[in-house]
Amino acid sequence: MGLKRKILELHKKREEVLKGGGDKAIEKQAAMGKLTARERIISLLDPDSFHEYDLFVEHEARDFDMEKKVLHGDGVIIGTGTIYGAPVCIFAQDFTVAGGSLGMMHARKITKIMDHSLKLKVPLIGINDSGGARIQEGVNSLAGYGEIFFRNTLSSGVIPQISVVLGPCAGGAVYSPALTDFVFVVDKISKMFITGPEVIKTVIGEEISMEGLGGAKVQSEISGNAHFYAKSEAECFEQIKKLVSFIPWNNIKKAKAYEPKEPKSEYKVSEIVPGDPRQPYDVRDVIRGVVDDSDFFEIQELWAANIVIGFGRMNGETIGFVANQPLVLAGVLDVDSSDKAARFIRFCDSFNIPIITFVDVPGYLPGVDQEHMGVIRHGAKVLYAYSEATVAKITVILRKAYGGGYIAMSSRHLRADFVFAWPTAEIAVMGPEGAANIIFRKEIVQAEDPEKMRKQKVKEYKEKFANPYVAAARGYVDSVIEPEETRRLILHAIDVSGSKSVFLPQKKHGIPPF
Ligand code: HXC
């Protein structure tokens, strides 16, 4: 056969595979508002940048009449490409081929691209749309998932791993995302669960819809499994691109720097925080008041909103922000907000992203529920994550910094490099009311007018401790600053921290309170 005919034959073979699961399955996919796996990759990556590998891989299953079935590409597409010029490795499961279920060869394709991403030190993006382990392939599909989970863990902290859930994903198809750094979901399209509604009905007799069990809203607002929620696949891909623009390719490189920009004039930090410590405000406006172009990219916006995490740029460089949110539960630390902050701190630390912490925290949330849910263990994650982090850590105390919350929120004692406090800062073991009630209980009870005495003692306590100067006198706070100075001082602190290096005791690894 001459070259021309061989090339024609190649074209024909390619065409055949590109049909995926066939017209009917593709129509069904479109009717659900879903793009096909290939369309998804093309929409996400830079134009003409995608290069596909293992197009002609076929499954090797022989049981349950599987030898009669042709599964194009074995239901998954793998390749490399770029996003805003940054290289990425990518896979997308093709639900039109056997429900994107994971058989042995399907898993081998995914692990091949995972190995590539770790070797090439570039981010991995996984688009998951799969019914989980391919039932007909038995232990081979379980082995496949095991190989994927192992690689997810090996790559953790070396390359960023991004998961996109764009379909009903069950079993292994959700555990791999859970091991990655960021999970994206789309309204009505994404469903994540370990066991589906049918199994639940059989085993415990409960009836629940897929949406109610693990839809996009559930996973973004209630469980916290998802980090980004979008209304459509197009919006989701824009979010992924934006995330990729903020993060580095790997744990050695720094994130790409952009042209520095001043914050927008409408965000004046001096006008955001009310003087009255009981008045709420949106701490995201303080972040917008200091970041370039006031562009703050929030993560897990819908879950544990009493803490805010996300990326912004200062002087063009990526910065991670952690801030208590007085708008929600007065910004207390609790089980979920501790988990949320701790994981983000570890991501920033792994990928050389400086962390700025804005503090306005009344402490850890008291109550039976929280204690029984393990607030001790979960709250300890924040202490651990900040203590362990060796990137530049800059803390600004805006208002309340009470008790364990003060220590946990990147205090000097956990080795913050720079601690600034606004004149409105109150650093104490607890709020003045609670403190006065405890330490002056006898005087208050025995007074002729207990209420008058109580007020007087609260006032005394406030005057003594509800300020930043006691901490500044001990050097726990480096400078008491005017709000307008915040951006300038943070920029300076980042500049002088450029070569920061810290020597930690040698160990295999620590044991965080997981
Ligand atoms: C083989 C599968 C499959 C699977 C779906 N299909 N899941 N084939 N193994 N796990 C096939 C279907 O037979 C069907 O094939 C096609 O994919 C489309 O599936 P439908 O059921 O028609 O689609 P839909 O109604 O949208 O429902 C999707 C679904 C459902 C919710 C995902 O298919 C489902 O519940 N599947 C099983 C989920 C599951 O329990 N997986 C195992 C998880 S255990 P045809 O030929 O008819 O088009 C696991 C182990 C790892 O993953 C655990 C690690 C910790």
Side-chain angles (χ1 to χ4, degrees), residues 28 32 69 95 98-99 101 130-136 142 145 149 168 170-173 175 193-194 210:
K28 197 176 156 195
M32 288 186 278
K69 281 198 178 166
F95 195 83
S101 58
S130 165
R134 187 174 297 152
I135 296 161
Q136 299 90 326
L142 297 181
Y145 268 125
F149 302 158
Y175 265 129
F193 39 79
I194 297 298
M210 260 203 260

Side-chain angles (χ1 to χ4, degrees), residues 2 42 65 101 106 139 164 166 196 204 249 252 269 272 287 294 301 318 333 339 372 389 402 417 473 503 514:
I42 303 293
D65 284 341
S101 58
H106 179 122
V139 71
V164 197
L166 292 180
I204 48 176
W249 302 357
I252 296 161
V269 283
I272 296 164
I287 300 174
S294 300
E301 184 181 348
T318 296
L333 285 169
D339 280 9
H372 287 192
Y402 295 160
D417 299 297
F503 298 98
F514 279 163

Side-chain angles (χ1 to χ4, degrees), residues 45 137 149 165 177 192 194 200 222 268 301 330 372 387 389 405 468:
L45 300 186
E137 294 201 33
F149 302 158
V165 174
M192 301 170 72
I194 297 298
I200 292 178
I222 300 174
K268 286 202 172 44
E301 184 181 348
H372 287 192
S387 299

